[in-house]
Amino acid sequence: MPTEAEAEELAAAERRGDPYLVYHDAGERQRVLSLPDTWARVTVGRSLTADVVLSWDDDVSRVHADLQRIGGEWVLVDDGLSRNGSFVNGERVEGRRMLKDGDELRFGQTAVRFKAPFQVGGETRIRTLPEEPTD
């Protein structure tokens, strides 16, 4: 259950409308990282130079993965730099995976929630043509 301050931080992120990441640090404090339109890339790793520093998680590599903005959408990129891999909703990512609002990313033992408040549904719909009448 989030504290009142954490709940307000999440509400503020939702109001801004930018996609954002939510995770907990080593002290179980909630962290929210906004992904404004001016950002094209976010690095994830144990290195203190990463944008999402997961230094407490020994299963995370120094340079673990990237999130990249491609065509206005955020994509998780894991090009094999990490020894333990990256996961989206429990599935290992090899290469790239487009992110959707509510996806759970996992780097080592750390869960990171991806939120995109105004993301338009990206499901591809297949239109079926009506059958030709047969006489």
Side-chain angles (χ1 to χ4, degrees):
M1 184 80 160
T3 66
E4 187 174 323
E6 289 173 339
E8 177 50 39
E9 186 177 28
L10 289 174
E14 286 283 325
R15 284 192 301 271
R16 277 193 298 276
D18 292 328
Y20 61 94
L21 302 174
V22 181
Y23 61 100
H24 289 86
D25 65 17
E28 290 300 311
R29 290 178 301 271
Q30 175 181 278
R31 299 293 179 203
V32 177
L33 178 64
S34 184
L35 307 173
D37 288 343
T38 55
W39 287 25
R41 180 179 180 211
V42 174
T43 56
V44 178
R46 256 188 13 257
S47 170
L48 296 179
T49 61
D51 297 306
V52 177
V53 178
L54 306 176
S55 58
W56 62 89
D57 191 333
D58 291 335
D59 292 333
V60 172
S61 299
R62 285 183 305 114
V63 177
H64 197 93
D66 281 332
L67 278 73
Q68 296 177 5
R69 186 188 303 271
I70 300 174
E73 301 292 330
W74 282 95
V75 175
L76 173 64
V77 180
D78 188 329
D79 290 332
L81 295 175
S82 66
R83 67 179 183 265
N84 293 321
S86 302
F87 296 80
V88 174
N89 300 326
E91 295 179 23
R92 188 173 184 142
V93 173
E94 294 180 7
R96 297 176 181 203
R97 168 96 179 252
M98 186 177 296
L99 299 177
K100 292 185 252 171
D101 180 43
D103 280 348
E104 181 188 82
L105 318 179
R106 184 162 294 277
F107 309 104
Q109 299 300 312
T110 305
V112 177
R113 179 75 55 192
F114 174 78
K115 296 294 293 172
F118 299 120
Q119 185 179 53
V120 176
E123 296 300 317
T124 302
R125 288 185 282 154
I126 299 172
R127 188 175 138 208
T128 57
L129 298 174
E131 290 186 29
E132 292 289 323
T134 56
D135 296 323

